[in-house]
């Protein structure tokens, strides 16, 4: 066998409850409950009864034992009582004297057989055990820290059983073990704080620990005694030693103990809610027998500890939950006060980092990342969010092995091996993340992982349990401490709180929208009134002025003519203003019907119109390149009409007015420029140029309402475009307009 | 029967129209009605026009913004009846709001003209309208 194909699971496959032998310090008989006929006997029975196991098999208990000085009647009587009551525990151990030596008899019934086991009576003092138990009880009742309680329990158990070393060993969720308390002889190397791989205590051994709470290996070096069966007893019915106190030890476990320099061991199970959460593991460097009452006393102490732990652990869970809830409550209050998710979650005295045991947390909100504690980089978090978005996670994700789900996270496993995440909005890519670091960093290894495999005398390589750390390292790579229920429930609650605030804000916006809609409707009505009710009397003023001039003008003095002309001009200006205001309000909200526009056609149309009104002066409108734009046609006409007629207006004083319009296409946008040689303006003044009704100082003598460029700006905004300009007084102005190239939808 | 029927509830506009008609010096007869309801009665021979069997005008000039029955409603009623289904109707309105223009066409007008707002321009406009609708246009005249 080579090192590479060592079978790590050989421990898992060993049928340790039917090994077919017992430890040689005791003796075993199995009898049928009805007839008390012996069907199994340990090979060493001759040492106890002077009758060989062979002779015992198939015989009735009474007839055999009659030949010894064991009191047959007393034993049969005991069995009868036990059978009638259906309970054996209360009578264990029963002291018997055989061949002038006292033995403890321990009886149990299992799988259709009554099993009798004799073991030596130790040198213990029952009174002392009772005192120790009483002390243990007092201690459990006293309110101490969990660490103290465990440490003192280890001391107490050590006192009861007298071993060199007693450790409290706790299983983690992946079943690897961790020494959390230890009582030992001073000369021994401390094991406290060490971690052991899960394979050290294989699954079926853990199952047995749940059934058999106390387990003694008195002498790992002794040769076990085989169990013989009645001739003809079916071969597929080996004696089930699940509840046996003498059950022999698996060779693998013996080797494990030898590796540790241990010759006697005892373990006592610690259960939490029916599940194995730990062991009290006891080692002795030389063989040592612990008699039944002392084992029972140790078991009792450990049961006390288990019970205390259930309460303490519940309390601990409860207090963690309370703590997280309390923080959750603070954050909820912050949310209600701030109504600002980022602020409430990351910037106040309580943050999302307080909600779990995570070492880092991050909020991705409004496309910004806010990090607290130890977290992956922004780039890594964004990639993680992308992955989460593509996953089927709808509310939350909880994992202590992120890399198994999302391999790229291995890059930052030291700070993010475990992830707890809540989804605020998949559409908006908004999440909260909590990170836990890789557990392996916190582990102190028991044994040297670099030690080579031991090769047995027969040349067979067998993995030695204490040397399988490397395998363990492989299995816990990329693994964090798991997320507790309290942590998960707290962040789910947070999610609800945040969503509630977001929904509330959305509702407020909806109400605002409704009000805005209402305001728009009113504005609509207003616009209509302006357009009709104001324009109608204005037309009357205009028309009657014209009629007066036409029909009675010949009787007017020249001054009256001038005055009438002023009335007519004023109505004209007012008409233009009303028209512009209407356009401006319409541009804000009429639907956009964007389409590709033939710009040459559009610009030539506008040029024609402008030239008609400017026919009494020298005006050239030069049209250069005309790449198409994608826009609402009506608005585009409005936009370029306003720009060109502005240019035309402000070149009125130039003897040769020249306007040059040209476009060019760049990456993602089309830019048009309208250049003139007009009066220009001071760039310092131009800040408010696009504001409604704002006009520049040097434009005072030119007619205008101050609405035209505001309309232009609005149209540009509606199309997600940009407008800018360059100008110098008396040297003309260039306006630039850029519109994005529409992506084909 | 008049050549032109003009529905206008603004007295000034009606007055200016009359002055322009006289100024045109063309042999065109016209009638001005000041409400939509009256216009419908006139066209259908109901109400105060019950006893009169009047031939239809050659052209209906219709202001849209009328008190009571609106211009749009007048068009809709006219288009339902066999007698007035093909009557040339021109919307004559102050509004250049695209939605007004659209709904007028949807109701079934033949043309939409925005009131120019000046005396001279209105005169020129009417002259051009009459040239086309009274001289060039061929109608289907129901009896």
């Amino acid at each position: 066998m080579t090192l590479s194909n060592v079978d790590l699971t050989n421990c898992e496959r060993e049928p340790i409850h039917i090994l077919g032998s017992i430890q040689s310090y005791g003796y075993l008989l199995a009898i049928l409950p009805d007839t008390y006929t012996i069907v199994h006997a340990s090979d060493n029975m001759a040492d106890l009864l002077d009758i060989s196991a062979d002779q015992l098999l198939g015989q009735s208990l009474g007839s055999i034992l009659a030949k010894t000085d064991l009191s047959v009647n007393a034993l049969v009587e005991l069995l009868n009582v036990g059978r009638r009551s259906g309970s054996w525990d209360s009578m264990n151990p029963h002291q018997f004297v055989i061949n002038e030596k006292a033995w403890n008899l321990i009886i149990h019934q299992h799988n259709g057989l009554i099993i009798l086991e004799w073991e030596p009576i130790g040198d213990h003092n029952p009174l002392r055990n009772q005192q120790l138990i009483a002390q243990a009880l007092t201690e459990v009742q006293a309110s101490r820290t969990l660490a103290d309680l465990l440490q003192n329990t280890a001391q107490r158990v050590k006192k009861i059983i007298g071993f060199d070393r007693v450790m409290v060993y706790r299983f983690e969720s992946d079943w690897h073990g961790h020494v959390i308390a230890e009582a030992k002889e001073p000369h021994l190397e401390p094991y406290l704080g060490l971690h052991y791989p899960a394979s050290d205590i294989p699954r079926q051994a853990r199952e047995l620990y749940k059934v058999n709470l106390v387990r003694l290996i008195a002498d790992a070096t002794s040769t076990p005694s085989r169990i013989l069966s009645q001739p003809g007893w079916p071969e597929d019915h080996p004696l089930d030693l699940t509840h046996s106190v003498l059950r022999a030890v698996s060779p693998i476990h013996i080797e494990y103990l030898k590796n540790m320099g241990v010759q006697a061991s005892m373990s006592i199970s610690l259960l939490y809610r029916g599940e194995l959460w730990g062991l009290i593991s006891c080692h002795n460097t030389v063989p040592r027998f612990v008699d039944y009452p002392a084992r029972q006393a140790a078991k009792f102490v450990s049961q006390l500890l288990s019970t205390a732990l259930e309460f303490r652990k519940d309390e601990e869970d409860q207090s963690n939950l309370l703590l997280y809830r309390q923080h959750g409550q603070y954050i909820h209050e912050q949310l209600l006060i701030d109504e600002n998710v980022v602020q409430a979650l990351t910037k106040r005295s309580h943050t999302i980092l307080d909600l779990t045991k995570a070492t880092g947390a991050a909020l991705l909100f409004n496309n910004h990342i806010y990090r607290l504690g130890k977290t992956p980089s922004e780039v890594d978090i964004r990639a993680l969010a992308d992955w989460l978005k593509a996953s089927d996670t709808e509310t939350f994700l909880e994992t202590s092995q992120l890399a198994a789900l999302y391999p790229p996270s291995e890059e930052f496993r030291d700070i993010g091996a475990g992830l707890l995440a809540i989804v605020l909005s998949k559409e908006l890519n908004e999440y909260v993340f909590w990170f836990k670091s890789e557990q392996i960093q916190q582990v102190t290894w028991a044994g040297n992982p670099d030690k080579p495999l031991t090769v047995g005398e027969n040349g067979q390589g067998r993995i030695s349990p204490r040397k399988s750390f490397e395998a363990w390292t492989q299995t816990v790579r990329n693994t964090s401490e798991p997320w507790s229920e309290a942590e998960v429930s707290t962040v789910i609650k947070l999610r609800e709180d945040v969503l509630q605030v977001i929904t509330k804000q959305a509702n407020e916006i909806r109400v605002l929208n409704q009000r805005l809609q209402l305001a728009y409707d009113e504005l609509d009505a207003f616009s209509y009134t302006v357009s009709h009710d104001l324009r109608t009397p204005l037309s009357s003023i205009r028309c009657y002025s014209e009629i007066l001039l036409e029909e009675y003008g010949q009787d007017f003095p020249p001054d009256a003519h001038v005055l009438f002309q002023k009335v007519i001009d004023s109505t004209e200006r007012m008409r233009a203003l009303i028209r512009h205001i209407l356009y401006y309000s319409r541009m804000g909200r009429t639907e956009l019907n964007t389409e590709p526009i033939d710009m040459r056609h559009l610009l030539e149309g506008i040029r024609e119109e402008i030239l008609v009104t400017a026919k009494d002066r020298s005006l050239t409108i030069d049209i250069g390149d005309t790449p198409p734009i994608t826009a609402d046609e009506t608005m585009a006409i409005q936009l370029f009409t306003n720009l060109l007629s502005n240019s035309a207006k402000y070149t009125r004083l130039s003897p040769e007015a020249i306007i040059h319009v040209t476009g060019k296409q760049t990456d993602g946008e089309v830019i048009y420029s309208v250049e003139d040689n007009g009066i220009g303006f001071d760039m310092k003044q131009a800040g408010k140029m696009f504001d409604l009704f704002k006009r520049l100082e040097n434009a005072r003598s030119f007619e205008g309402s101050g609405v035209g460029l505001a309309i232009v700006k609005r149209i540009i905004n509606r199309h997600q475009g940009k407008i800018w300009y360059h100008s110098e007084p008396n040297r003309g102005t260039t306006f630039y307009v850029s519109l994005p190239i529409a992506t084909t939808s | 029967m008049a050549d032109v029927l003009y529905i206008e509830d603004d007295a000034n506009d009606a007055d200016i129209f009359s002055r322009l008609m006289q100024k045109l010096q063309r042999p065109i007869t016209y009638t001005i009605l000041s409400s939509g309801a009256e216009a419908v009665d006139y066209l259908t021979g109901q109400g105060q026009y019950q006893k009169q069997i009047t031939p239809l005008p050659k052209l209906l000039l219709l202001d849209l913004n009328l008190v009571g029955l609106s211009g749009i409603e007048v068009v809709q009623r006219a288009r339902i009846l066999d007698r007035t289904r093909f009557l040339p109707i021109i919307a004559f309105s102050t509004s250049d709001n695209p939605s007004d223009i659209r709904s007028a066409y949807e109701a079934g007008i033949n043309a939409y003209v925005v009131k120019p707002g000046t005396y001279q321009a209105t005169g020129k406009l009417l002259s051009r309208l009459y040239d086309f609708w009274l001289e060039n246009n061929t109608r289907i005249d129901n009896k």
Side-chain angles (χ1 to χ4, degrees):
Chain A
M1 187 177 241
T2 60
L3 291 185
S4 60
N5 60 2
V6 164
D7 183 358
L8 281 175
T9 62
N10 56 359
C11 287
E12 293 256 339
R13 293 210 205 106
E14 224 183 358
I16 56 179
H17 65 295
I18 46 170
L19 285 176
S21 44
I22 59 167
Q23 299 181 58
S24 56
Y25 66 86
Y27 310 93
L28 178 142
L29 284 182
I31 59 177
L32 291 170
D34 299 332
T35 58
Y36 297 161
T37 306
I38 298 168
V39 292
H40 295 289
S42 61
D43 205 8
N44 60 356
M45 275 311 282
D47 300 343
L48 182 72
L49 300 179
D50 299 327
I51 306 169
S52 77
D54 283 345
Q55 285 176 289
L56 290 167
L57 292 169
Q59 302 299 311
S60 106
L61 190 60
S63 62
I64 297 295
L65 297 186
K67 294 173 189 169
T68 73
D69 59 357
L70 177 62
S71 166
V72 179
N73 286 344
L75 180 57
V76 170
E77 194 56 36
L78 190 68
L79 291 171
N80 288 343
V81 170
R83 276 182 59 217
R84 272 199 299 274
S85 68
S87 155
W88 307 92
D89 280 352
S90 56
M91 60 183 64
N92 287 332
H94 199 88
Q95 271 201 20
F96 274 96
V97 175
I98 308 170
N99 289 338
E100 295 168 359
K101 192 178 170 196
W103 296 91
N104 272 336
L105 171 61
I106 295 133
I107 310 172
H108 76 277
Q109 193 164 356
H110 180 60
N111 244 356
L113 294 174
I114 296 173
I115 295 154
L116 311 175
E117 292 173 281
W118 286 268
E119 57 170 48
I121 288 173
D123 55 356
H124 79 285
N125 175 353
L127 203 65
R128 199 170 59 111
N129 284 349
Q130 276 183 15
Q131 280 173 349
L132 287 166
I133 289 170
Q135 286 166 5
L137 191 58
T138 312
E139 176 158 12
V140 163
Q141 285 170 330
S143 184
R144 294 205 186 215
T145 68
L146 193 60
D148 277 355
L149 182 59
L150 293 169
Q151 189 56 40
N152 288 320
T153 303
Q155 295 285 5
R156 220 159 291 282
V157 171
K158 183 169 184 301
K159 221 172 199 177
I160 297 171
I161 65 170
F163 271 38
D164 296 336
R165 184 199 299 275
V166 174
M167 298 173 282
V168 180
Y169 185 91
R170 179 173 184 165
F171 294 110
E172 304 293 341
S173 60
D174 64 345
W175 291 113
H176 95 269
H178 182 196
V179 180
I180 53 175
E182 183 180 42
K184 63 170 188 64
E185 292 302 316
H187 66 276
L188 294 175
E189 176 196 351
Y191 288 174
L192 185 66
L194 296 186
H195 287 247
Y196 291 84
S199 54
D200 267 17
I201 300 175
R203 186 188 45 76
Q204 83 281 29
R206 292 197 301 265
E207 285 306 310
L208 277 176
Y209 280 127
K210 276 161 66 178
V211 178
N212 240 343
L213 299 182
V214 180
R215 170 84 172 126
L216 172 71
I217 297 161
D219 183 358
T221 61
S222 69
T223 310
S225 179
R226 284 189 310 137
I227 294 168
L228 306 182
S229 304
Q230 186 189 354
W233 189 261
E235 275 184 21
D236 58 348
H237 269 71
L239 181 59
D240 183 340
L241 292 173
T242 299
H243 296 278
S244 160
V245 295
L246 291 173
R247 174 160 52 83
V249 188
S250 112
I252 296 177
H253 190 58
I254 293 283
E255 195 183 325
Y256 178 69
L257 293 176
K258 277 184 189 164
N259 278 334
M260 295 180 96
V262 170
Q263 294 198 347
S265 92
M266 188 168 129
S267 54
I268 306 157
S269 310
L270 297 172
L271 301 181
Y272 174 66
R273 291 183 177 165
E275 282 302 318
L276 194 67
W277 77 262
L279 288 176
I280 297 181
S281 182
C282 316
H283 291 168
N284 208 43
T285 41
V286 294
R288 180 171 177 89
F289 174 70
V290 179
D291 73 359
Y292 192 83
R295 299 202 310 267
Q296 290 301 96
K299 175 181 158 187
F300 185 75
V301 169
S302 74
Q303 279 174 327
L304 266 179
L305 178 66
S306 281
T307 313
L309 259 160
E310 291 207 11
F311 283 116
R312 298 249 177 178
K313 198 162 164 7
D314 284 349
E315 259 175 42
E316 191 190 10
D317 282 358
Q318 203 61 35
S319 67
N320 271 341
L321 180 63
L322 280 177
L323 184 71
Y324 298 147
R325 280 225 179 113
Q326 185 65 57
H327 282 293
Q329 186 57 36
Y330 290 143
I331 291 182
H332 189 201
E333 283 162 16
Q334 291 173 180
L335 271 169
L336 294 179
I337 293 167
D338 284 357
E339 296 210 343
N340 175 330
V341 173
V342 172
Q343 188 115 325
L345 263 48
T346 62
K347 304 258 163 87
R348 296 272 173 182
S349 50
H350 303 273
T351 70
I352 43 175
L353 198 51
D354 303 323
L355 295 181
T356 67
K357 269 174 80 180
T359 40
L363 168 68
L364 174 52
F365 197 78
N366 258 337
N367 208 27
H368 281 282
I369 291 177
Y370 307 88
R371 298 191 289 167
L372 300 165
K374 287 194 285 181
T375 69
S377 70
E378 289 213 359
V379 174
D380 287 336
I381 292 174
R382 282 191 195 278
L384 184 62
D386 290 344
W387 167 74
L388 205 57
K389 186 178 182 132
S391 77
D392 52 8
T393 301
E394 293 301 329
T395 47
F396 77 99
L397 176 80
E398 171 214 345
T399 176
S400 56
Q401 288 177 298
L402 180 58
L405 302 174
Y406 176 61
S409 73
E410 210 176 323
E411 292 293 315
F412 53 80
R413 64 172 183 233
D414 52 333
I415 41 177
L419 172 72
L420 179 59
I422 53 174
V423 180
L424 298 180
S425 165
K426 273 200 162 185
E427 294 70 33
L428 300 177
N429 212 29
E430 293 178 340
Y431 306 92
V432 185
F433 305 96
W434 287 266
F435 299 98
K436 277 188 181 176
S437 52
E438 193 181 34
Q439 202 175 30
I440 208 161
Q441 297 180 325
Q442 304 154 4
V443 171
T444 316
W445 298 103
N448 179 1
D450 298 330
K451 251 186 200 169
L453 284 177
T454 42
V455 177
E457 280 165 20
N458 57 3
Q460 282 239 319
R462 184 192 276 157
I463 189 97
S464 164
R466 285 201 63 228
K467 299 189 183 82
S468 54
F469 305 117
E470 220 158 353
W472 188 84
T473 311
Q474 292 304 316
T475 63
V476 297
R477 258 283 114 119
N478 290 309
T479 304
S480 76
E481 192 182 288
W483 300 94
S484 71
E485 276 175 39
E487 290 175 303
V488 174
S489 71
T490 305
V491 307
I492 290 176
K493 166 76 165 49
L494 175 76
R495 178 174 181 270
E496 291 302 315
D497 290 343
V498 173
L499 290 184
Q500 187 192 31
V501 168
I502 292 174
T503 309
K504 187 167 159 247
Q505 288 169 349
N507 284 343
E508 281 164 6
I509 289 171
R510 214 165 61 194
V511 169
L512 281 177
N513 256 333
Q514 283 168 355
R515 275 163 44 190
L516 190 63
Q517 187 58 50
L518 216 65
Y520 265 141
D521 290 347
E522 275 173 22
L523 184 66
D524 228 5
F526 172 76
S527 305
Y528 195 82
T529 307
V530 167
S531 105
H532 190 270
D533 293 5
L534 279 186
R535 275 205 261 181
T536 301
L538 194 60
S539 296
S540 298
I541 294 169
R542 172 68 176 262
C543 288
Y544 283 120
S545 303
E546 287 182 68
I547 292 168
L548 274 170
L549 269 182
E550 191 174 294
E551 294 182 12
Y552 305 100
Q554 66 274 22
D555 303 332
F556 288 175
D559 192 36
H561 274 277
V562 173
L563 293 178
F564 268 106
Q565 194 53 50
K566 282 186 189 294
V567 172
I568 288 169
D569 289 349
S570 295
T571 61
E572 187 56 45
R573 281 219 305 282
M574 191 158 168
R575 258 160 46 89
L577 181 60
I578 289 172
R579 201 172 62 239
H580 279 138
I581 290 172
L582 277 175
Y583 279 137
Y584 181 76
S585 84
R586 253 188 238 154
M587 286 315 153
R589 55 199 198 86
T590 46
E591 223 171 288
L592 280 187
N593 295 310
T594 51
E595 54 187 337
I597 292 170
D598 175 354
M599 285 301 287
R600 179 153 296 274
H601 178 77
L602 181 138
L603 290 171
E604 281 173 353
I606 294 170
R607 173 167 65 184
E608 207 172 301
E609 235 174 78
I610 290 174
L611 290 180
V612 165
T613 55
K615 55 181 179 288
D616 52 347
R617 66 187 181 109
S618 165
L619 174 65
T620 310
I621 298 177
D622 171 37
I623 299 175
D625 287 341
T626 54
I629 60 169
T630 304
D632 180 287
E633 191 174 14
T634 314
M635 292 193 197
I637 292 172
Q638 182 85 35
L639 167 65
F640 285 96
T641 303
N642 283 5
L643 285 177
L644 289 174
S645 51
N646 254 7
S647 294
K649 183 159 72 182
Y650 295 115
T651 53
R652 213 174 52 207
L653 302 180
S654 312
E656 296 248 338
I658 299 169
I659 298 170
H660 182 70
V661 191
T662 188
K664 68 172 177 188
Q665 183 160 336
T666 68
D667 285 347
E669 57 185 3
V670 176
I671 301 172
Y672 268 88
S673 59
V674 179
E675 186 184 355
D676 66 51
N677 60 344
I679 56 166
F681 52 84
D682 185 346
M683 290 287 279
K684 276 182 232 144
Q685 267 196 48
K688 289 178 175 172
M689 183 130 79
F690 299 108
D691 290 359
L692 199 56
F693 302 127
K694 292 282 182 213
R695 304 195 64 212
L696 299 185
E697 187 72 35
N698 64 343
R700 198 182 270 169
S701 60
F702 294 80
E703 270 178 27
S705 59
V707 184
L709 279 177
I711 293 174
V712 165
K713 178 71 176 160
R714 222 172 214 206
I715 293 171
I716 289 290
N717 287 349
R718 291 291 309 269
H719 288 81
Q720 273 95 47
K722 287 175 289 191
I723 181 163
W724 66 102
Y725 44 76
H726 181 79
S727 185
E728 281 173 57
N730 304 318
R731 303 196 66 166
T733 305
T734 308
F735 274 95
Y736 300 90
V737 168
S738 98
L739 292 170
I741 290 172
T743 45
T744 47
S745 54
Chain B
M1 172 60 205
D3 297 319
V4 177
L5 177 61
Y6 180 32
I7 320 291
E8 174 60 72
D9 66 349
D10 185 279
N12 285 346
D13 276 5
D15 175 41
I16 291 162
F17 179 83
S18 303
R19 283 173 178 268
L20 283 168
M21 290 306 288
Q22 283 155 30
K23 202 183 149 197
L24 281 178
Q25 294 181 335
R26 284 167 73 158
I28 299 169
T29 58
Y30 64 95
T31 300
I32 301 175
L33 298 178
S34 63
S35 86
E38 198 181 349
V40 171
D41 284 351
Y42 183 94
L43 292 172
T44 57
Q46 284 175 344
Q48 64 179 106
Y49 302 100
Q50 210 163 12
K51 301 272 161 58
Q52 300 168 290
I53 301 299
T54 48
L56 287 175
K58 290 176 182 162
L59 178 66
L60 174 60
L61 269 184
L62 179 64
D63 184 35
L64 293 181
N65 185 44
L66 299 170
V67 176
L69 204 62
S70 77
I72 300 287
E73 285 167 312
V74 172
V75 180
Q76 285 164 345
R77 301 225 181 161
R79 291 312 184 214
I80 291 168
L81 298 170
D82 278 348
R83 186 171 138 85
T84 51
R85 180 182 297 168
F86 301 112
L87 173 70
I89 303 178
I90 296 178
F92 192 55
S93 169
T94 315
S95 170
D96 55 359
N97 188 336
S99 71
D100 288 342
I101 297 169
R102 186 182 181 86
S103 47
Y105 274 109
E106 274 167 359
I109 56 160
N110 298 79
Y112 193 105
V113 174
V114 179
K115 289 179 182 173
T118 78
Y119 187 63
Q120 273 156 17
T122 308
K124 282 180 189 157
L125 175 80
L126 287 176
S127 181
R128 288 205 301 275
L129 281 181
Y130 297 151
D131 285 347
F132 178 77
W133 290 99
L134 301 184
E135 308 296 333
N136 304 125
N137 186 36
T138 307
R139 290 168 289 116
I140 300 172
D141 259 334
N142 285 338
K143 298 289 161 312

